[in-house]
Amino acid sequence: MAKKRTKSKSKKTTTTAKRKLSFKPSKQNKIIFGSLLIVLSIALFFSFMSFYFTWQEDQSMLSQFADRNVEASNLLNKFGANVSHFFMYRGFGLASFVFPFLLAITGLYLFLALDGKRLIYKWIWGLVGVIWGSIALGFFAADYPLLGGLIGYEMNDFLQDYTGKIGVFLILIFVLMVILVRLFNFTPEGFANFFRRQKQKIKSDFKEEPTVHTKDTPVQEDDEDGLILTTEETVPEKVDTYTHKKDIPPLDEAGLDVNIPEEEESDIALKVEETPVEEEETDAKAAKLVEDFGEFDPKLELGNYKFPTMDLLEAHGASGGITINQEELEENKNRIVSTLKNYKIGIAQIKATIGPTVTLYEIVPEAGIRISKIKNLEDDIALSLAALGIRIIAPIPGKGTVGIEVPNKNATIVSMRSVIASNKFQKAEMELPIAFGKTISNETFVVDLAKMPHLLMAGATGQGKSVGLNAVITSLLYKKHPAEVKFIFVDPKKVELTLYNKIERHFLAKLPDSDEAIITDNTKVINTLNSLCIEMDNRYELLKTAMVRNIKEYNVKFKARKLNPNDGHKFLPYIVLVIDEFADLIMTAGKEVETPIARLAQLARAIGIHLIIATQRPSVNVITGIIKANFPARIAFRVTSKIDSRTILDAQGADQLIGRGDMLYTQGNDVTRLQCAFVDTPEVAKITDYIGSQRAYPEAHLLPEYVGEESGTSLDNDIEDRDAMFREAAEVIVTAQQGSASLIQRKLKLGYNRAGRIIDQLEAAGIVGPFEGSKARQVLVPDMYALDQLLENEAK
């Protein structure tokens, strides 16, 4: 017990020591200090101004500062005379006028409680300007040391000893160019455009004078011609002026009456026509930025990133491709023909297509034979061939044949390396290309996840679901840069996706308060899904302001520099949510998971959020109608019953697969049989090690904050965990005597979640009362003095 007390005491002393060392001025101190700096800047300005009129008279009293009987002629008396003599004569001369402006700006920043990040930038460039101005004045006005100051004169003299007058001149020109380019964005094209605009403005001013006189002429034909020319701009102008010309005779007075509203209407037309000019100017600015700096490249932050190499993957199976067993083909053909003959079904033609695991026999039956009769013989053909997993396709879509899929005795493993190295994948111009494996005709099967737009995977335990997920993720890792795609992994099993922890700062996304990027806790899954819904809403708001319909158009517009980052615009990476065992989430969380999943499935495809959900048993209570309707792309590995096959595919066939990566893929009506590419765990480990060893982002991609609907009664009053804006929020609440999160949002410009947490912390600290429904919380601290006393007592 004694040891514990000593430890707690040492902790308290260290925290109090930290608190004493960290000095953060209060709002009142900032206002006072800001006012002092503003007053000091005004005093310096007037003393500097007065110096150039009274410096000769004040020379004699500089050494008599302590004598109260001596007065100076400077506007600020002896203080002004001494300070201005120090800055103007012994310092930087006329360039010293920059110091009052810098002090005034600093005072305003403190007085108005503005963000001071740009203040250091202003001071650095202000000091550069002071030094440059002092040296320049010392160079061009060497005979007048008061203009450049003693520092300018001495530095100019020092530089001339080493570089001569020409060298000093060139140095001054170079520094001036640096200042113009960095501070004023000076470019030769902009300089030329400025003079071109001035020239055009002068020309237009001279051209406007004769047009005024032509309107005063009483000749009807000239007026009508002039009206026709002006009415091409606006239609109402043409109608009004035409009726006036018909009704009123062409007298001088009538002509004047018509011309006055015509000038007013032409002014209105000019104002209306300003909007397309502004749009053209913004497009021109974007084109100018692209010309100067090129298109925005999101990959530049990790410019040296190297994509995984092929040697990280192993070449499983036979290196020469599929081996053809002619005896097996002939034997299977004879058995199929004889079985069908037993049931009086004649065959006109038969053809075999050999795949990695399955051979497709295409049969052309004789005329007059019903296809349903062949379909009903599925079990009989399987018995005659003594094979597992006979599947009859009657008819094959797009062909006038009946297909019988027979598993090969010696299946060939499709390696991930052969699929990734294929031309079809390497040259795929897709947003999110995925190479699943190979078809029966031994062709690489590549699809675009962005067009699916969501994927549902189902299959019994041990039939290849986890390998299929690894194949999907590996395809994207080999094709996409970390800036282009982010993953969110949900792994209730806690062992399937842990290998991807190594690429957390490259490819993964997580909640701000989460320690691990791969989610294994069901409560964190709910928060993550709700956070994704917030991200979806935020992205739709960006698309709305950018006036585009999908993420592809938005990113193209952002890369062309047509969207301003200061308005909240940014490059949007694709987000892929991978859930390994969905049934477990539904069993434990239920509606809390189903609702955000349904929202994301319905709306998220346009803004680049795509879902990949895997489950063992695709029952109706797990894959509900709402979820199923928004997952048109589905993959079925081997399942145990025909009911499960119908649930996942809306068709039979998944119960007749042979396992070990044998799968059916559908994205609508057609069902394609594939052999999933095999990627082993050591291969995934090599890929993640290769990516993880490279330079990464400072942290994983952060999703928006989400806090569940929990009451703040159970919060503890831990000072260390308080928000950085706690003190300011307390001052706002006490000053307004109104305790609400919306007030903190408006005054401190915070988000709703953060303001809600601060309100909970204020309640725990005893500053506001408990939640009272629609009413505002009661403020328990009467004034600022009581608040200071309360916070000081807590600190002790």
Side-chain angles (χ1 to χ4, degrees), residues 443-625:
E443 293 179 0
T444 303
F445 190 78
V446 182
V447 290
D448 190 0
L449 178 61
K451 291 182 179 178
M452 287 185 185
H454 310 295
L455 178 63
L456 191 60
M457 299 174 70
T461 304
Q463 303 304 317
K465 277 197 319 301
S466 297
V467 175
L469 283 177
N470 285 331
V472 171
I473 298 165
T474 303
S475 301
L476 295 174
L477 293 181
Y478 266 89
K479 200 70 175 175
K480 306 306 288 183
H481 190 275
E484 296 173 317
V485 64
K486 302 292 178 185
F487 293 98
I488 300 172
F489 291 133
V490 178
D491 185 14
K493 295 180 186 175
K494 304 182 181 180
V495 292
E496 292 292 344
L497 301 173
T498 50
L499 286 170
Y500 297 101
N501 264 323
K502 298 169 188 173
I503 60 171
E504 175 182 335
R505 293 189 294 130
H506 291 86
F507 281 101
L508 301 194
K510 66 177 184 179
L511 291 172
D513 57 346
S514 180
D515 296 330
E516 296 180 358
I518 296 174
I519 305 159
T520 55
D521 186 7
N522 289 343
T523 56
K524 289 185 179 179
V525 174
I526 297 166
N527 291 342
T528 303
L529 293 175
N530 286 298
S531 175
L532 264 181
C533 291
I534 296 170
E535 174 74 13
M536 177 182 71
D537 295 335
N538 293 342
R539 287 191 173 198
Y540 268 117
E541 196 64 32
L542 291 177
L543 262 63
K544 176 185 171 184
T545 55
M547 292 183 289
V548 292
R549 295 184 63 187
N550 54 51
I551 186 174
K552 189 175 180 181
E553 294 175 6
Y554 179 88
N555 283 337
V556 168
K557 204 168 183 179
F558 186 81
K559 286 180 180 178
R561 301 185 185 273
K562 293 182 180 179
L563 301 174
N564 192 350
N566 294 329
D567 298 335
H569 292 291
K570 58 185 177 180
F571 181 82
L572 300 179
Y574 286 92
I575 296 177
V576 180
L577 171 65
V578 180
I579 301 177
D580 187 30
E581 188 45 69
F582 188 59
D584 184 66
L585 292 180
I586 293 295
M587 288 168 63
T588 54
K591 289 287 182 185
E592 290 180 291
V593 168
E594 185 183 344
T595 303
I597 286 278
R599 278 204 71 207
L600 291 168
Q602 289 169 348
L603 301 171
R605 59 177 179 239
I607 42 86
I609 298 176
H610 303 282
L611 313 181
I612 299 174
I613 292 177
T615 183
Q616 286 182 358
R617 188 173 184 274
S619 54
V620 180
N621 60 341
V622 174
I623 303 171
T624 59

Side-chain angles (χ1 to χ4, degrees), residues 24 78 130 147 180 298 313 479 536 544 559 578 613 641 672 723:
K24 187 177 180 182
K78 287 185 284 185
V130 167
L147 295 179
L180 290 175
L313 296 170
K479 200 70 175 175
M536 177 182 71
K544 176 185 171 184
K559 286 180 180 178
V578 180
I613 292 177
S641 66
T672 308
D723 195 277

Side-chain angles (χ1 to χ4, degrees), residues 717 761-769 780-781 790 794:
N717 191 11
Q761 292 169 5
L762 291 171
E763 180 188 347
I767 297 172
V768 296
L780 305 177
V781 178
L790 176 65
E794 281 187 350

Side-chain angles (χ1 to χ4, degrees), residues 63 207 246 550 686 738 740:
S63 59
K207 283 182 180 178
K246 252 190 171 182
N550 54 51
K686 285 180 187 176
Q738 179 185 351
S740 66

Side-chain angles (χ1 to χ4, degrees), residues 684-747:
V684 177
K686 285 180 187 176
I687 295 168
T688 54
D689 285 337
Y690 182 84
I691 296 172
S693 62
Q694 300 184 51
R695 180 174 169 267
Y697 295 106
E699 57 184 347
H701 182 79
L702 295 181
L703 297 171
E705 283 185 297
Y706 176 79
V707 180
E709 297 178 359
E710 297 175 356
S711 61
T713 53
S714 62
L715 289 174
D716 55 342
N717 191 11
D718 193 353
I719 299 174
E720 294 296 326
D721 294 333
R722 281 179 180 172
D723 195 277
M725 302 288 286
F726 176 85
R727 174 91 188 199
E728 288 82 351
E731 291 173 358
V732 168
I733 292 294
V734 172
T735 304
Q737 286 295 304
Q738 179 185 351
S740 66
S742 59
L743 178 67
I744 296 175
Q745 277 185 274
R746 292 195 307 272
K747 294 293 184 182

